[in-house]
Amino acid sequence: MGFGELLEQVGSTGRFQVLQTTLLCIPMMLMASHNLLQNFVALVPPHFCSAHTNLSQSQMSAEEALLVTVPLDQTGKPERCLRYAAPQWHLLTKNRSSNSGKEGDTNAGLDVDLQGCSDGWTYNMTHMKSTIISDWNLVCDQRSLKQMGQTVYMGGVLLGAVVFGGLSDRYGRRILLLISHLLMAVSGTCAAFSTTFPLFCLFRFGCGMALSGVVLNSFSLIVEWIPTSVRTMVGTMTGYCYTVGQLMLALIAYFIRDWRWLTLAVSLPFFVFFLIAWWFHESSRWLVMSNNPEQAIKNLKSVAKCNGRKEEGEKIDMKRLQETMKKEMSCSQGTHSVLDLFRTPTMRRMTICLSAVWLSTSFAYYGIAMDLQKFGVDIYLIQVIFGAVDIPAKVIMVVSMTYIGRRTSQCGALIIAGIAVLINLLIPYDKQTARTCMAVLGKGCLSASFNCCYLYSGELFPTIIR
């Protein structure tokens, strides 16, 4: 049985596993907060060009100042990126003398010069007191920078997966987890105090890298200290931590409406997590594979003591370790690389198919979950709904995988999600309820597909799950 036999001897589901798994899962909740933080810190408030600097507003209301400064678009709303080159006082006169209420007609037939917002923008801060959009005017010609900020963050996630995944095999899961927690705390704190948008992107890139390090190494420490029989259940429970994190984000953002304080609120706890992580035990299995059997035995005895099996733990010595893990130790002598996934036809087919599923699921999931403002519903409400839908979705997926099979369940979830997303494209923008319902259905199915992908990856590629 290899390492599993030693794990049973010291207690495979005892006090130690419960405590360590719980402490490793708590930071997972704030992973969702960082992943979806863009929905709130980069919320685009309603905006229009500020009035001319020489325009006296002392004797007119804000609505009247807006009327003579900013033209209306085809829907009757103020233009976001254009204003009159000079105040149009005659519009104010017409507006006061007109009782028709059709303000959009006051611009008809007029040939007036327009200009950009040279004096800045005025923002309607209803949902947030401040965002990176209002602080750095990332609107109009600069509106693409909002997406760039999220792209930079996801680039950090990608690089972090490569860097921390590889380094954890060389230096251990625990030390890389410590570094990831500290990097997240420092990068998140610095992002909150950023004075320019490039600095903000730089520190968010660090947050993205740290997120990958935390997730990968936490998952490794969890599964390598529990028996195979409970990994599916524990993996599902870990997934629910991310779901709870989405609900927590809506609650935190509702009460903290300044983007700097919000970023601090989801980053500072990682200083505490960094201190807690010093207690974690390095994976004894990894220690054996890394030719450090003495420390592996020491950790196993410590786990046995924590689980109330001190006498059983004392029976583990070098001879017992070598006899039990002889096969695993012999396999560790060889070297493996990502090319091993493509050497045989069967592995090549599984790798390509699973990669395609991961790509399609991730692309659609984050496309929906990271731009909630486009649904036209209260941003806090939609965040709660999108988080809550994961609960029944994952339960249904677990039941479906148990009785129908994982491949069929995965296909069904992806097909339903794809249909929901395509239907959403056909629904008119003003049908907000219908669009939101389709999006919620699609997001729930994609979340269930994510859960299935993790389990598939863990079973098909157990030695290279990262």
Side-chain angles (χ1 to χ4, degrees), residues 26 47 57-58 66 76 92 128 196 217 221 226 240 248 252 285 301 344 428 441:
I26 292 176
H47 56 276
Q57 301 184 28
S58 58
L66 175 64
L92 182 59
M128 296 284 290
T196 63
N217 290 288
L221 283 177
I226 60 176
Y240 275 115
M248 286 177 55
I252 295 172
R285 184 181 184 278
K301 290 182 177 180
T344 65
L441 175 62

Side-chain angles (χ1 to χ4, degrees), residues 126-139:
T126 302
H127 296 289
M128 296 284 290
K129 291 182 179 179
S130 70
T131 68
I132 63 171
I133 305 299
S134 61
D135 279 9
W136 294 317
N137 292 325
L138 305 182
V139 293

Side-chain angles (χ1 to χ4, degrees), residues 431-447:
K431 305 294 183 180
Q432 297 176 354
T433 302
R435 295 179 70 247
T436 302
C437 290
M438 286 294 101
V440 169
L441 175 62
K443 199 263 186 180
C445 291
L446 291 168
S447 179

